[in-house]
Amino acid sequence: MIDLHTHLLPNIDDGACSIEEALKMIEALHNQKVNKIVCTPHFDPTTTSLQDFSDKRAAAISLLSNSKVVLVSGSETTLHDYLFNYPDLSPLYIGNSRYLLLELPFGKEWDNEVFKTLESLLRYYDLFAIIAHIERYPAIKKNENNIKKLIEMGCLLQLNTNSIIDKKLRPRALKYIKRGYIDVLASDCHNMDKRPPIINEAFNIVMQKLGTEYSDRLKYNAECIVNGSDLRQKTIYIIE
């Protein structure tokens, strides 16, 4: 099993604050039979350079050389026009794939500029976008048609495992999965306290509530993403 979205690299963003906490997070995922962890620290092109980010990420990963789990480099990149200042964004991709985990604006609405910037990014760099924690955006909660726009553009959608574990958030999360919106689950873990690395419990809930085929597909998709397979074609099921 793979956790595709984590913030366990020490002292690089708002995730793990020490090597000790990072190792505890890795241990927790290892105990849940996670065999690969994609390290996706935040990259905001308005506040740091790509080179500085890459250097800090490499240094942080080197501190965890004794990890029991394979660590794969990646990023959670903020969508912004400044990204076009770089001729190559591959250092931000997940491992050796063409997948880029993107964080979209948290405004209540997404205007045409958001979709225009995203579409230009996809075309210019010929990359595959995964939209991080799709269920958290106010623009999605207000207008579910924005999900369909993203899918029509070829984006994959990631959902946080805590949205399945939390009983209040669970109905909407399961609805998104059942409709075929969601391509991958990930913990988006930041620490061992408020945002811990819990992933297996969410898959068990999906299996119990929707069936093994759903949980198996979500696990398989994460493997395909790390391996670089193209998953952009999918079916949406409108089930009320």
Side-chain angles (χ1 to χ4, degrees):
M1 190 159 54
I2 297 171
D3 194 350
L4 206 72
H5 181 176
T6 67
H7 297 271
L8 54 74
L9 294 182
N11 299 313
I12 189 171
D13 61 1
D14 58 343
C17 61
S18 66
I19 298 174
E20 291 73 21
E21 183 169 39
L23 291 173
K24 287 180 181 179
M25 294 168 73
I26 292 171
E27 179 73 17
L29 289 170
H30 177 260
N31 290 339
Q32 296 170 74
K33 302 193 183 306
V34 171
N35 59 357
K36 286 184 182 178
I37 297 171
V38 182
C39 303
T40 54
H42 291 285
F43 173 65
D44 183 345
T46 69
T47 60
T48 188
S49 71
L50 179 54
Q51 187 63 56
D52 284 347
F53 170 82
S54 298
D55 290 345
K56 290 178 181 178
R57 183 185 59 193
I61 290 177
S62 70
L63 295 174
L64 305 174
S65 58
N66 293 326
S67 170
K68 293 181 178 180
V69 182
V70 174
L71 302 181
V72 179
S73 64
S75 70
E76 181 180 5
T77 294
T78 301
L79 180 68
H80 196 279
D81 285 341
Y82 281 15
L83 291 171
F84 293 99
N85 290 332
Y86 299 104
D88 179 20
L89 295 182
S90 61
L92 300 172
Y93 298 171
I94 293 174
N96 295 319
S97 77
R98 289 160 60 194
Y99 284 101
L100 175 64
L101 184 67
L102 280 172
E103 184 169 61
L104 301 189
F106 276 90
K108 292 183 179 180
E109 295 184 0
W110 289 337
D111 58 23
N112 288 334
E113 284 302 310
V114 170
F115 292 102
K116 183 179 178 181
T117 300
L118 178 56
E119 185 174 15
S120 296
L121 195 75
L122 296 175
R123 291 183 177 179
Y124 185 76
Y125 294 101
D126 192 26
L127 59 82
F128 302 163
I130 305 172
I131 307 304
H133 43 60
I134 190 64
E135 79 282 11
R136 291 183 56 200
Y137 301 107
I140 292 295
K141 296 176 183 178
K142 184 176 180 180
N143 185 0
E144 195 171 309
N145 284 330
N146 284 327
I147 287 182
K148 297 173 186 177
K149 287 183 181 180
L150 293 171
I151 293 172
E152 288 171 359
M153 293 172 66
C155 297
L156 303 187
L157 307 183
Q158 177 255 314
L159 185 137
N160 283 0
T161 52
N162 71 291
S163 293
I164 297 171
I165 295 167
D166 189 314
K167 291 184 178 180
K168 292 182 179 179
L169 302 176
R170 185 181 300 168
R172 187 164 68 98
L174 291 177
K175 181 185 73 172
Y176 284 0
I177 295 171
K178 192 172 184 179
R179 288 186 171 183
Y181 294 162
I182 306 304
D183 299 282
V184 65
L185 301 183
S187 72
D188 190 9
C189 57
H190 280 63
N191 47 55
M192 288 297 294
D193 183 18
K194 295 181 179 179
R195 300 179 71 176
I198 301 176
I199 189 167
N200 204 39
E201 182 180 349
F203 277 109
N204 288 338
I205 293 171
V206 171
M207 182 173 62
Q208 292 165 8
K209 298 294 185 180
L210 301 180
T212 304
E213 65 273 20
Y214 285 91
S215 59
D216 286 350
R217 178 179 64 83
L218 293 166
K219 291 177 183 179
Y220 174 74
N221 285 351
E223 294 177 4
C224 288
I225 288 168
V226 171
N227 292 333
S229 301
D230 189 347
L231 292 174
R232 291 175 297 172
Q233 299 297 322
K234 62 182 179 180
T235 303
I236 299 174
Y237 304 95
I238 303 302
I239 303 172
E240 298 299 338

